[in-house]
Coordinates of all heavy atoms in Angstrom, one line a residue:
A120 N 175.8 78.7 126.3 CA 175.6 79.6 125.3 C 174.3 80.3 125.2 O 174.0 81.3 124.5 CB 175.6 78.9 123.8
V121 N 173.3 79.9 126.1 CA 172.0 80.4 126.1 C 171.6 81.0 127.5 O 172.2 80.7 128.5 CB 171.0 79.2 125.7 CG1 171.2 78.8 124.3 CG2 171.0 78.2 126.8
S122 N 170.5 81.9 127.6 CA 170.2 82.6 128.8 C 169.3 81.7 129.7 O 169.2 82.0 130.9 CB 169.5 83.8 128.3 OG 168.4 83.7 127.7
Y123 N 168.6 80.6 129.1 CA 167.7 79.9 130.0 C 168.3 78.4 129.9 O 168.6 77.9 128.7 CB 166.3 79.7 129.3 CG 165.5 81.0 129.6 CD1 166.1 82.3 129.6 CD2 164.2 81.0 129.7 CE1 165.4 83.4 129.7 CE2 163.5 82.1 129.8 CZ 164.0 83.4 129.8 OH 163.2 84.5 130.0
D124 N 168.3 77.6 130.8 CA 168.9 76.3 130.8 C 167.9 75.2 130.4 O 166.6 75.6 130.2 CB 169.4 75.8 132.2 CG 168.3 75.7 133.3 OD1 167.2 75.4 133.0 OD2 168.8 75.8 134.5
R125 N 168.3 74.0 130.2 CA 167.4 73.0 129.5 C 166.2 72.6 130.3 O 165.2 72.3 129.8 CB 168.2 71.8 129.2 CG 169.3 72.0 128.2 CD 170.3 70.7 128.2 NE 171.5 71.2 127.5 CZ 171.9 70.8 126.3 NH1 171.1 70.0 125.5 NH2 173.0 71.1 125.7
T126 N 166.4 72.7 131.7 CA 165.2 72.4 132.5 C 164.1 73.3 132.3 O 162.9 72.9 132.4 CB 165.7 72.4 134.0 OG1 166.2 73.7 134.3 CG2 166.7 71.4 134.3
Y127 N 164.3 74.6 132.0 CA 163.2 75.5 131.8 C 162.4 75.0 130.5 O 161.3 75.0 130.6 CB 163.8 76.9 131.5 CG 162.7 77.9 131.0 CD1 161.9 78.6 131.7 CD2 162.7 78.1 129.5 CE1 160.8 79.4 131.2 CE2 161.8 78.8 129.0 CZ 160.9 79.6 129.8 OH 160.0 80.4 129.2
W128 N 163.2 74.7 129.4 CA 162.6 74.3 128.1 C 161.8 72.9 128.3 O 160.7 72.7 127.8 CB 163.5 74.2 127.0 CG 164.1 75.7 126.9 CD1 165.3 76.0 127.0 CD2 163.4 76.7 126.2 NE1 165.5 77.3 126.7 CE2 164.3 77.9 126.2 CE3 162.1 77.0 125.8 CZ2 164.0 79.0 125.6 CZ3 161.7 78.2 125.3 CH2 162.6 79.2 125.3
D129 N 162.5 72.0 129.1 CA 161.6 70.8 129.2 C 160.5 70.9 130.0 O 159.4 70.3 129.7 CB 162.6 69.8 130.0 CG 163.8 69.2 129.2 OD1 163.7 69.4 127.9 OD2 164.8 68.6 129.7
A130 N 160.5 71.9 131.0 CA 159.4 72.1 131.8 C 158.2 72.7 131.1 O 157.0 72.4 131.2 CB 159.7 72.8 133.2
R131 N 158.6 73.8 130.3 CA 157.7 74.5 129.5 C 157.1 73.6 128.4 O 155.8 73.6 128.2 CB 158.3 75.7 128.7 CG 157.3 76.6 128.2 CD 157.9 77.9 127.7 NE 158.3 77.7 126.2 CZ 158.4 78.8 125.4 NH1 158.2 80.1 125.9 NH2 158.7 78.5 124.1
G132 N 157.7 72.7 127.7 CA 157.3 71.9 126.8 C 156.3 70.8 127.4 O 155.5 70.4 126.6
C133 N 156.5 70.4 128.5 CA 155.8 69.3 129.1 C 154.6 69.8 130.0 O 153.8 69.0 130.5 CB 156.6 68.5 130.1 SG 157.8 67.5 129.0
S134 N 154.5 71.2 130.1 CA 153.3 71.7 130.9 C 151.9 71.3 130.3 O 152.0 71.3 129.1 CB 153.4 73.2 131.1 OG 153.4 73.9 129.8
E135 N 151.1 71.1 131.1 CA 149.7 70.6 130.7 C 149.1 71.6 129.6 O 148.9 72.8 129.9 CB 148.8 70.5 131.8 CG 147.5 69.9 131.4 CD 147.6 68.5 131.1 OE1 148.5 67.7 131.5 OE2 146.7 67.9 130.2
G136 N 148.8 71.3 128.4 CA 148.2 72.0 127.4 C 149.1 72.9 126.7 O 148.5 73.6 125.7
F137 N 150.4 73.2 127.0 CA 151.2 74.2 126.4 C 151.2 73.9 124.9 O 151.0 74.8 124.1 CB 152.5 74.1 126.9 CG 153.6 75.1 126.2 CD1 153.5 76.4 126.6 CD2 154.5 74.7 125.4 CE1 154.4 77.4 126.1 CE2 155.3 75.5 124.8 CZ 155.2 76.8 125.1
A138 N 151.6 72.7 124.4 CA 151.8 72.4 123.0 C 150.6 72.5 122.3 O 150.2 73.1 121.2 CB 152.4 71.1 122.7
E139 N 149.4 72.0 122.9 CA 148.2 72.0 122.3 C 147.6 73.4 122.1 O 147.0 73.9 121.0 CB 147.0 71.2 123.2 CG 147.5 69.7 123.1 CD 148.6 69.3 124.1 OE1 149.0 70.2 124.9 OE2 148.8 68.1 124.3
D140 N 147.9 74.4 123.0 CA 147.3 75.7 122.9 C 148.0 76.5 121.8 O 147.4 77.1 121.1 CB 147.7 76.5 124.3 CG 146.7 76.0 125.4 OD1 145.7 75.3 125.1 OD2 147.0 76.3 126.6
L141 N 149.3 76.2 121.6 CA 149.9 76.8 120.5 C 149.5 76.3 119.1 O 149.5 77.0 118.2 CB 151.5 76.6 120.7 CG 152.1 77.5 121.7 CD1 153.7 77.1 121.8 CD2 152.0 79.0 121.5
L142 N 149.4 75.0 119.1 CA 149.0 74.3 117.8 C 147.5 74.8 117.4 O 147.3 74.8 116.2 CB 148.9 72.9 118.0 CG 150.5 72.3 117.9 CD1 150.5 70.9 118.1 CD2 151.0 72.6 116.6
T143 N 146.7 75.3 118.4 CA 145.3 75.5 118.0 C 145.2 77.1 118.2 O 144.0 77.6 118.1 CB 144.4 74.9 118.9 OG1 144.7 75.3 120.3 CG2 144.4 73.4 118.8
A144 N 146.4 77.9 118.2 CA 146.2 79.4 118.3 C 145.5 79.9 117.1 O 145.6 79.4 116.1 CB 147.7 79.9 118.4
R145 N 144.9 81.0 117.3 CA 144.0 81.8 116.3 C 145.0 82.2 115.2 O 146.3 82.6 115.5 CB 143.4 83.0 117.0 CG 142.3 82.6 118.0 CD 141.4 83.8 118.2 NE 142.2 85.1 118.3 CZ 142.7 85.7 119.5 NH1 142.7 84.9 120.6 NH2 143.3 86.7 119.4
E146 N 144.5 82.3 114.1 CA 145.3 82.7 112.9 C 145.8 84.2 113.0 O 146.6 84.6 112.3 CB 144.5 82.5 111.6 CG 144.4 81.1 111.2 CD 145.7 80.4 110.8 OE1 146.5 81.1 110.3 OE2 145.9 79.3 111.2
D147 N 145.1 85.1 113.8 CA 145.4 86.4 113.9 C 146.5 86.6 115.0 O 146.9 87.9 115.1 CB 144.2 87.2 114.2 CG 143.5 86.9 115.5 OD1 143.8 85.7 116.0 OD2 142.8 87.7 116.0
L148 N 146.9 85.7 115.7 CA 148.0 85.9 116.6 C 149.4 86.2 115.9 O 149.6 85.7 114.7 CB 148.2 84.7 117.5 CG 147.0 84.4 118.5 CD1 147.3 83.2 119.3 CD2 146.8 85.8 119.4
P149 N 150.2 86.9 116.5 CA 151.5 87.3 115.9 C 152.3 86.2 115.5 O 153.1 86.1 114.5 CB 152.2 88.4 116.8 CG 151.3 88.1 118.2 CD 150.1 87.6 117.8
S150 N 152.5 85.2 116.4 CA 153.2 84.0 116.0 C 152.9 83.4 114.7 O 153.6 82.9 113.9 CB 153.1 83.0 117.1 OG 151.8 82.5 117.3
R151 N 151.6 83.3 114.4 CA 151.2 82.8 113.1 C 151.6 83.7 111.9 O 151.8 83.3 110.9 CB 149.6 82.6 113.1 CG 149.0 81.5 114.0 CD 149.7 80.2 113.6 NE 149.3 79.0 114.4 CZ 148.3 78.1 114.1 NH1 147.6 78.4 112.9 NH2 147.8 77.2 114.8
A152 N 151.5 85.0 112.2 CA 152.0 86.0 111.2 C 153.4 85.8 110.8 O 153.8 85.8 109.6 CB 151.7 87.5 111.8
T153 N 154.2 85.4 111.8 CA 155.6 85.1 111.5 C 155.7 83.9 110.6 O 156.5 83.9 109.7 CB 156.4 84.8 112.8 OG1 156.4 86.1 113.6 CG2 157.9 84.6 112.5
T154 N 155.0 82.8 111.1 CA 155.1 81.6 110.2 C 154.6 81.8 108.8 O 155.2 81.3 107.8 CB 154.3 80.5 110.9 OG1 154.8 80.2 112.3 CG2 154.3 79.1 110.2
R155 N 153.6 82.6 108.7 CA 152.9 82.9 107.2 C 154.2 83.6 106.4 O 154.2 83.5 105.2 CB 151.8 83.7 107.3 CG 150.6 82.9 107.8 CD 149.3 83.7 107.5 NE 149.3 84.9 108.2 CZ 148.6 85.1 109.3 NH1 148.2 84.1 110.1 NH2 148.7 86.1 110.1
Q156 N 154.9 84.4 107.0 CA 155.9 85.2 106.4 C 156.9 84.3 106.0 O 157.5 84.3 104.8 CB 156.7 86.3 107.4 CG 155.7 87.5 107.5 CD 156.0 88.6 106.4 OE1 156.7 88.4 105.6 NE2 155.7 89.9 106.9
C157 N 157.4 83.3 106.8 CA 158.4 82.3 106.4 C 158.0 81.4 105.3 O 158.7 81.1 104.3 CB 158.7 81.5 107.7 SG 159.6 82.3 109.0
V158 N 156.7 80.9 105.3 CA 156.1 80.1 104.3 C 156.2 81.0 102.9 O 156.4 80.4 101.9 CB 154.6 79.7 104.6 CG1 154.0 79.1 103.4 CG2 154.6 78.7 105.8
A159 N 155.7 82.1 103.1 CA 155.7 83.0 101.8 C 157.2 83.2 101.2 O 157.3 83.1 99.9 CB 155.2 84.5 102.1
R160 N 158.1 83.4 102.0 CA 159.5 83.4 101.6 C 160.0 82.1 100.9 O 160.7 82.0 99.9 CB 160.6 83.8 102.7 CG 160.3 85.4 103.2 CD 160.3 86.3 102.1 NE 161.4 86.4 101.3 CZ 161.5 87.1 100.2 NH1 160.6 87.6 99.7 NH2 162.8 87.0 99.6
L161 N 159.6 81.2 101.6 CA 159.9 79.7 101.1 C 159.4 79.3 99.7 O 159.9 78.6 98.9 CB 159.7 78.6 102.1 CG 160.6 78.6 103.4 CD1 159.9 77.8 104.4 CD2 161.9 78.1 103.0
R162 N 158.2 80.0 99.4 CA 157.7 79.8 98.2 C 158.4 80.6 97.0 O 158.1 80.2 95.8 CB 156.2 80.2 98.1 CG 155.3 79.4 99.0 CD 153.8 79.6 98.7 NE 153.0 79.1 99.9 CZ 152.6 77.9 99.9 NH1 153.0 77.0 99.0 NH2 151.9 77.4 100.8
T163 N 159.2 81.4 97.4 CA 160.0 82.2 96.3 C 161.4 81.6 96.0 O 162.1 82.2 95.1 CB 160.1 83.6 96.8 OG1 161.1 83.7 97.9 CG2 158.8 84.2 97.1
I164 N 161.8 80.6 96.7 CA 163.2 80.0 96.6 C 163.0 78.6 96.2 O 162.1 77.9 96.5 CB 164.0 80.4 97.8 CG1 163.5 79.6 99.1 CG2 164.2 81.9 98.0 CD1 164.4 79.7 100.3
S165 N 164.1 78.2 95.7 CA 164.2 76.6 95.2 C 165.0 75.9 96.4 O 166.0 76.3 96.8 CB 165.2 76.5 94.1 OG 165.3 75.2 93.7
W166 N 164.2 74.9 96.9 CA 164.8 74.2 98.1 C 164.1 72.7 98.2 O 163.0 72.6 97.7 CB 164.7 74.8 99.5 CG 163.3 75.1 99.9 CD1 162.4 76.2 99.4 CD2 162.5 74.3 100.7 NE1 161.2 76.1 100.0 CE2 161.2 74.9 100.9 CE3 162.8 73.1 101.5 CZ2 160.2 74.4 101.7 CZ3 161.9 72.8 102.5 CH2 160.6 73.3 102.5

């Protein structure tokens, strides 16, 4: 069903510092903008 196999994702997730770099990414990066949009939408609905 997907264009990349599981070994790619396992290797990416386990690469040295990959997760840590994303978790400490600057607030002005576009990935953080996406998460902020999701959080804003979630504040408007009941769940």
Side-chain angles (χ1 to χ4, degrees):
V121 300
S122 57
Y123 289 31
D124 66 28
R125 296 168 196 254
T126 58
Y127 167 83
W128 296 108
D129 285 344
R131 193 175 89 153
C133 292
S134 61
E135 185 67 27
F137 175 77
E139 292 80 359
D140 287 346
L141 285 179
L142 287 169
T143 58
R145 300 193 320 268
E146 287 297 322
D147 62 337
L148 290 181
S150 60
R151 290 299 182 98
T153 301
T154 303
R155 286 195 297 271
Q156 286 267 19
C157 292
V158 168
R160 295 306 302 166
L161 287 168
R162 293 192 189 282
T163 69
I164 62 179
S165 174
W166 64 280

